[in-house]
């Protein structure tokens, strides 16, 4: 599993990314939603799910639908590194490392700019 991440900060290499396309396995891996705000804070969007109208995707095959209901947003004061990956408008995969120090983004770097040991550590931890 993974979590969804919206990043309101510009990417350091100037790449455009598809809005809300980032995912990470560096956090809770429970399909939760987070935002890296323009101020560099990591916000957890707590929600619950309510049943919604089921959808028939082909005759006899029903998909159960649920809609999220927002409960609260929490600044989680994150300290550490995240690996985030998403899509560019040309469908190319983009990947970055984000360092938080005492709850605020210190830097965002393209994945390929990190030393190999740092990339390995990030992937192994989550």
């Amino acid at each position: 599993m993974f979590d969804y991440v919206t990043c309101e900060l510009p990417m350091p290499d100037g790449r455009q990314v598809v809005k809300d396309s980032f995912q990470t396995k560096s956090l809770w891996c429970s399909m939760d939603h987070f935002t890296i705000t323009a101020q560099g804070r990591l916000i957890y969007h707590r929600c619950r799910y309510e049943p919604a109208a089921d959808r028939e995707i082909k005759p006899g095959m029903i998909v159960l639908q649920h809609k999220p209901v927002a409960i609260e947003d929490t600044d989680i004061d994150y300290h550490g590194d995240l690996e985030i990956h998403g899509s560019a408008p040309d469908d190319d995969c983009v990947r970055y490392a984000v360092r938080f120090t005492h709850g605020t983004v210190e830097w965002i770097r393209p994945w390929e700019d990190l030393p190999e040991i740092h990339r390995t550590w990030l992937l192994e931890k989550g």
Side-chain angles (χ1 to χ4, degrees):
M1 300 285 257
F2 56 88
D3 295 307
Y4 298 98
V5 179
T6 297
C7 185
E8 296 176 347
L9 293 170
M11 296 299 104
D13 55 2
R15 295 266 330 246
Q16 296 297 313
V17 295
V18 176
K19 182 172 172 41
D20 300 331
S21 72
F22 285 116
Q23 296 178 357
T24 187
K25 291 187 176 186
S26 301
L27 292 166
W28 302 339
C29 295
S30 56
M31 307 293 282
D32 284 316
H33 293 262
F34 295 84
T35 296
I36 301 170
T37 68
Q39 294 75 34
R41 304 295 294 182
L42 186 62
I43 305 300
Y44 164 54
H45 305 289
R46 186 170 166 230
C47 69
R48 60 183 170 79
Y49 292 89
E50 292 182 348
D54 294 340
R55 184 170 54 106
E56 186 171 27
I57 56 175
K58 64 181 184 179
M61 184 176 278
I62 305 293
V63 175
L64 301 177
Q65 300 287 304
H66 291 85
K67 63 179 179 178
V69 177
I71 296 174
E72 68 179 342
D73 291 342
T74 304
D75 183 328
I76 63 171
D77 200 29
Y78 190 78
H79 185 84
D81 294 343
L82 301 180
E83 176 270 341
I84 60 174
H85 53 276
S87 299
D90 62 2
D91 290 330
D92 196 17
C93 181
V94 293
R95 200 170 188 186
Y96 298 93
V98 184
R99 171 154 301 160
F100 289 84
T101 304
H102 303 292
T104 303
V105 171
E106 181 178 337
W107 50 253
I108 301 175
R109 294 189 179 148
W111 185 253
E112 59 274 4
D113 290 356
L114 295 177
E116 181 65 29
I117 189 71
H118 193 164
R119 291 187 300 226
T120 301
W121 177 81
L122 266 171
L123 291 178
E124 286 178 359
K125 87 170 186 100

